[in-house]
Amino acid sequence: MGVRHINPEGLHRSPAFSQAVVVEQPTKTIYIGGQNGVGADGKVVGPTVGEQARQAFRNLAAILDSEGAGLANIVHWRIAVVDGTTFDEGVAAFQEVWNRADPPPAITVHVVAGLAGPEFLVEIDAVAVV
């Protein structure tokens, strides 16, 4: 797979994200729509960012698994968190699921006024390359 994680000199280097990810050859690409803290029963799993982020990551993992991929195949996350909440719990949830030996994906975080429902605190979409 022709995937390179880019962290050019002169830019901040972080173990949590890459500045960019380049896909150099035709490969299978999976675009995952926004996942939030909703379980298989369609109900929000809990009232905290941490609980909802963990469920969103489980949902992402299930989608990837259905296509023979895993979280390490993600090249970009886009995370939306509701204004007024702290995303520290979401970062902790990410650290629980991400293998630090894998190059981190590019990440964009948006603070938003609200999501699809008043109980939703976080939504994560992703692009994976297999």
Side-chain angles (χ1 to χ4, degrees):
M1 170 172 43
V3 177
R4 289 185 298 118
H5 293 77
I6 307 295
N7 290 292
E9 292 299 321
L11 295 179
H12 173 71
R13 289 181 182 257
S14 171
F17 62 87
S18 294
Q19 292 293 344
V21 179
V22 177
V23 179
E24 296 189 38
Q25 60 186 5
T27 61
K28 177 179 177 179
T29 305
I30 304 168
Y31 297 89
I32 303 171
Q35 299 298 307
N36 45 36
V38 173
D41 61 0
K43 296 182 181 168
V44 175
V45 297
T48 69
V49 169
E51 291 169 298
Q52 292 186 25
R54 279 183 202 85
Q55 183 63 48
F57 288 126
R58 283 192 291 272
N59 294 348
L60 287 157
I63 291 165
L64 291 165
D65 186 59
S66 75
E67 288 296 315
L71 295 176
N73 294 104
I74 292 177
V75 297
H76 186 262
W77 304 97
R78 185 175 16 252
I79 302 168
V81 62
V82 172
D83 191 23
T85 61
T86 176
F87 194 61
D88 292 345
E89 291 178 38
V91 171
F94 173 77
Q95 290 174 337
E96 289 172 18
V97 300
W98 190 258
N99 180 348
R100 292 177 191 238
D102 294 329
I107 298 175
T108 303
V109 178
H110 298 281
V111 176
V112 298
L115 294 165
E119 67 277 16
F120 297 133
L121 301 177
V122 64
E123 184 172 289
I124 304 169
D125 65 77
V127 177
V129 176
V130 182

